[in-house]
DNA sequence: CACCATGTTCCTTG
DNA sequence: CCAAGGAACATGGT
């Protein structure tokens, strides 16, 4: 799935396009992709609603909507899973194979597409309550982070993927943040001393902020096909090489030289997910 | 064919 | 009760 930076860039892209627009019709093509899982109830709630704004919480997109006589605002949550995308369909383009939901807005089709169907559009807001703090929030301190790590005997890399610890970090940026903080991924979360916690806290914020800045400067092809072009998530293959250089320091670079010391980057498996790190820069 | 994939949830085990 | 590990979900790329 797109992680926090990808979702943030998408939200910034969508907010001005959707705000003020009315949803004319809703077509649910994959029942699994919506909740409530009855397409009728889902569509009835959303058809005719107006979008008041789009924001992000962790990896969730939050759509502020209003509808009906009372104009009472309500929210729709979007989670892109591993392969979800949202975009206005280019005029005349055929509906993609895995279009899960199609909204008609302003005479155009707004598509929620998801080949693996791990993502969701949901009116159930309970997932938000489970999320930990926003890592980029001004009020988020190293002290908060330390408290969250204190009682965990999990490897710190695995703990970073726990959305109740900090919201928004995924498999790519977990490895990237640990490299930046020069902390070995196998370390138990509670074994980090205060200085290490602070380094990792800074690294997380730095890595996420830079990724957002990078994503904001790349010419993104929102409706593009193909998911592993090495560029942010949405990029077009033609431009990928130019922008992908040095974007990631360790993720998916097993066997390649560390950009800091030249040692070969190592891949290990933790909690059934790949972790990448430099055995020299990140010593236990 | 085999293996891998930016995520979450549910079940089992300790 | 909790923490931790693993399977399951579904499709596509290499």
């Amino acid at each position: 799935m797109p992680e926090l930076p990808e979702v943030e860039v998408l939200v910034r892209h969508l907010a001005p396009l959707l705000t003020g627009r009315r949803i004319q019709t809703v077509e649910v093509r994959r029942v699994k992709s919506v909740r409530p899982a009855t397409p009728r109830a889902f569509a009835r709630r959303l058809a005719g609603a107006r979008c008041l704004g789009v924001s992000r919480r962790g990896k969730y997109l939050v759509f502020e909507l209003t509808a009906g006589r009372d104009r009472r605002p309500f929210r729709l949550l979007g989670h892109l899973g591993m392969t979800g995308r949202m975009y206005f369909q280019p005029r005349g383009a055929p509906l993609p194979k895995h279009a899960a939901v199609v909204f008609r807005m302003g005479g155009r089709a707004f598509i929620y597409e998801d080949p693996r169907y791990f993502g969701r559009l949901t009116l159930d807001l309970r997932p938000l309550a489970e999320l930990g703090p926003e890592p980029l929030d001004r009020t988020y301190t190293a002290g908060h982070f330390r408290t969250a790590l204190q009682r965990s005997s999990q490897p710190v890399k695995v703990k970073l993927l726990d959305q109740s610890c900090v919201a928004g970090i995924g498999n790519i940026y977990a490895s990237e943040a640990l490299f930046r903080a020069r902390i070995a991924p196998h370390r138990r979360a509670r074994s980090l001393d205060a200085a290490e916690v602070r380094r990792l806290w800074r690294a997380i914020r730095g890595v996420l902020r830079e990724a957002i800045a990078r994503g904001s400067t790349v010419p993104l092809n929102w409706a593009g096909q193909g998911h592993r072009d090495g560029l942010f998530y949405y990029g077009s293959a033609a431009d990928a090489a130019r922008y992908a250089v040095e974007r990631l320091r360790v993720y998916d670079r097993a066997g390649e030289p560390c950009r800091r010391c030249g040692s070969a980057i190592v891949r290990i498996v933790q909690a059934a997910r790949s972790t990448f790190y430099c055995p020299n820069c990140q010593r236990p």
Side-chain angles (χ1 to χ4, degrees):
Chain A
M1 125 189 198
E3 305 182 24
L4 184 154
E6 287 81 3
V7 178
E8 178 64 26
V9 171
L10 176 59
V11 162
R12 292 181 190 184
H13 169 72
L14 291 181
L17 298 179
L18 296 179
T19 302
R21 278 259 149 71
R22 205 177 76 94
I23 298 169
Q24 291 156 321
T25 62
V26 181
E27 183 195 353
V28 177
R29 312 183 98 251
R30 278 280 176 161
V31 176
K32 293 200 60 170
S33 299
V34 303
R35 282 186 192 175
T38 53
R40 295 266 300 276
F42 182 82
R44 191 178 310 143
R45 187 82 175 106
L46 295 177
R50 190 173 294 279
C51 180
L52 301 178
V54 188
S55 58
R56 179 193 59 75
R57 178 78 173 91
K59 302 173 190 175
Y60 286 90
L61 295 113
V62 182
F63 300 92
E64 295 285 345
L65 303 167
T66 186
R69 262 171 214 285
D70 57 7
R71 295 248 179 276
R72 219 177 37 224
F74 64 100
R75 292 167 154 184
L76 172 70
L77 286 190
H79 196 295
L80 299 177
M82 294 270 261
T83 55
R85 19 176 45 147
M86 291 182 185
Y87 55 89
F88 276 97
Q89 192 178 29
R91 287 187 195 284
L95 208 57
K97 185 176 177 185
H98 299 294
V101 182
V102 180
F103 297 95
R104 196 141 282 283
M105 300 178 78
R108 299 190 63 190
F110 182 66
I111 311 271
Y112 164 45
E113 174 193 8
D114 188 4
R116 284 172 76 177
Y117 302 107
F118 286 178
R120 295 274 181 280
L121 281 182
T122 177
L123 292 164
D124 177 1
L125 303 182
R126 282 175 297 182
L128 290 187
E130 315 280 303
L131 293 178
E134 280 295 317
L136 296 181
D137 200 293
R138 281 188 308 114
T139 63
Y140 183 60
T141 67
H144 295 137
F145 185 46
R146 190 173 194 197
T147 305
L149 295 184
Q150 240 160 17
R151 259 183 265 109
S152 176
S153 61
Q154 283 185 306
V156 60
K157 152 62 162 50
V158 176
K159 193 64 187 168
L160 289 180
L161 299 180
D162 176 354
Q163 302 300 295
S164 70
C165 173
V166 190
I169 300 172
N171 208 37
I172 292 176
Y173 297 108
S175 283
E176 293 297 314
L178 285 165
F179 173 77
R180 188 167 170 135
R182 297 204 207 175
I183 293 169
H186 344 67
R187 295 278 303 282
R188 282 173 185 256
R190 65 176 172 218
S191 78
L192 303 203
D193 65 30
E196 290 171 322
V197 169
R198 185 164 190 84
R199 278 209 321 271
L200 186 50
W201 170 82
R202 285 181 74 110
I204 288 166
R205 290 163 54 102
V207 158
L208 296 178
R209 248 198 297 261
E210 282 178 18
I212 291 168
R214 169 65 65 106
S216 306
T217 63
V218 171
L220 298 169
N221 177 16
W222 304 93
Q225 301 296 317
H227 301 285
R228 299 206 64 204
D229 56 13
L231 181 63
F232 206 66
Y233 176 70
Y234 302 101
S236 61
D239 289 293
R242 190 149 57 94
Y243 292 95
V245 178
E246 296 215 348
R247 186 174 98 71
L248 301 176
R249 313 274 188 148
V250 290
Y251 183 81
D252 206 21
R253 296 194 63 237
E256 294 175 40
C258 170
R259 301 205 208 276
R260 221 189 121 251
C261 76
S263 304
I265 299 300
V266 171
R267 171 185 180 269
I268 59 171
V269 173
Q270 296 180 288
R273 315 284 313 270
S274 291
T275 299
F276 300 87
Y277 72 105
C278 172
N280 182 45
C281 298
Q282 301 166 263
R283 277 182 233 164

